[in-house]
Amino acid sequence: MPAPNLLPPEKVPPPRTDFTVGVLALQGSFWEHEVVLREIGVAVREVRRPADLDGLAGLIIPGGESTTIGKLAVAFDLLEPLRAFGRDHAIWGTCAGAIFLSKDARRDQPLLGLMDITVERNAFGRQVASFEVDIPVPALKAVAPDDDRPFHAIFIRAPLIETVTPPAEVLATLEDGRIVAARQGHLLATAFHPELTDDTRFHRYFLHLAGWEPDR
């Protein structure tokens, strides 16, 4: 799995102490999200226990293996605390995290069941079928009004968001119409990996959903 480019240490801004975002660190690519958040200037906390959720503005659930993430969440007594957190706070699930966030993955596995989406695991095939593509995401204008670039999306053994039921809404599709990003209020799901690019717009969009005010 590729890693995000790192800023030289002297260019990483000091984190804001009044706004901390958690990254679920049970399994998967949590470190890559932490790198991007720190480069934006956000304080980061790894979440492995229910107490780690205290005081967080939002939570990212990384890619990895959704069944393993779910089983570990059960083992660490995190499932119900995560559900309670997501009712009032922003959560973003990327790849396996999107599956874990959904209400239906068409198989028996632990899910948070917070988003009105149905997700098909490994919908694009095995890891060798991974691909990259530019997709338009108009919602990113909320944090980058002068940036008209499509988003370079990296799909690695990716799921597909099969159905999106209101109040959830579609944020992005592939050219053939298949859904790869969705939002439901303060909840966000992407089938791809924005943390593996140099483009921080999706992370800033999630921070926007979590109440981030960058100039404060």
Side-chain angles (χ1 to χ4, degrees), residues 139-160:
L140 297 181
K141 285 281 189 180
V143 294
D146 299 325
D147 194 338
D148 294 319
R149 291 176 299 159
F151 193 86
H152 189 70
I154 299 174
F155 293 80
I156 301 173
R157 208 175 60 174
L160 176 69

Side-chain angles (χ1 to χ4, degrees), residues 83-125:
R83 287 172 177 153
F85 182 85
R87 293 185 190 106
D88 299 317
H89 300 83
I91 296 183
W92 175 18
T94 58
C95 196
I99 299 170
F100 189 46
L101 195 55
S102 74
K103 285 192 174 176
D104 188 358
R106 299 199 182 284
R107 58 179 286 169
D108 185 18
Q109 66 179 82
L111 300 173
L112 292 182
L114 290 170
M115 276 192 80
D116 289 295
I117 57 176
T118 300
V119 180
E120 178 187 354
R121 293 161 44 106
N122 302 331
F124 298 96

Side-chain angles (χ1 to χ4, degrees), residues 171-196:
L171 284 191
T173 66
L174 298 177
E175 194 173 20
D176 60 9
R178 288 182 290 179
I179 303 167
V180 292
R183 174 193 170 184
Q184 182 173 336
H186 52 260
L187 304 175
L188 178 64
T190 56
F192 47 91
H193 290 269
E195 76 279 10
L196 299 181

Side-chain angles (χ1 to χ4, degrees), residues 9-175:
E10 66 274 15
K11 292 190 176 182
V12 175
R16 279 252 304 269
T17 58
D18 61 336
F19 193 93
T20 302
V21 168
V23 181
L24 190 64
L26 299 178
Q27 190 262 347
S29 57
F30 52 88
W31 176 82
E32 290 83 352
H33 282 289
E34 295 176 24
V35 171
V36 179
L37 291 170
R38 290 194 175 101
E39 289 195 358
I40 294 172
V42 175
V44 181
R45 182 191 306 158
E46 294 184 354
V47 173
R48 296 186 178 87
R49 305 168 304 155
D52 295 331
L53 294 166
D54 293 346
L56 294 179
L59 176 74
I60 294 176
I61 304 172
E65 209 293 313
S66 64
T67 305
T68 303
I69 292 173
K71 288 180 177 178
L72 289 172
V74 172
F76 284 61
D77 294 324
L78 266 169
L79 204 58
E80 287 304 326
L82 287 172
R83 287 172 177 153
F85 182 85
R87 293 185 190 106
D88 299 317
H89 300 83
I91 296 183
W92 175 18
T94 58
C95 196
I99 299 170
F100 189 46
L101 195 55
S102 74
K103 285 192 174 176
D104 188 358
R106 299 199 182 284
R107 58 179 286 169
D108 185 18
Q109 66 179 82
L111 300 173
L112 292 182
L114 290 170
M115 276 192 80
D116 289 295
I117 57 176
T118 300
V119 180
E120 178 187 354
R121 293 161 44 106
N122 302 331
F124 298 96
R126 304 176 66 182
Q127 187 142 338
V128 294
S130 301
F131 63 100
E132 303 180 19
V133 64
D134 291 338
I135 56 173
V137 189
L140 297 181
K141 285 281 189 180
V143 294
D146 299 325
D147 194 338
D148 294 319
R149 291 176 299 159
F151 193 86
H152 189 70
I154 299 174
F155 293 80
I156 301 173
R157 208 175 60 174
L160 176 69
I161 302 175
E162 285 186 315
T163 63
V164 173
T165 304
E169 59 182 327
V170 176
L171 284 191
T173 66
L174 298 177
E175 194 173 20

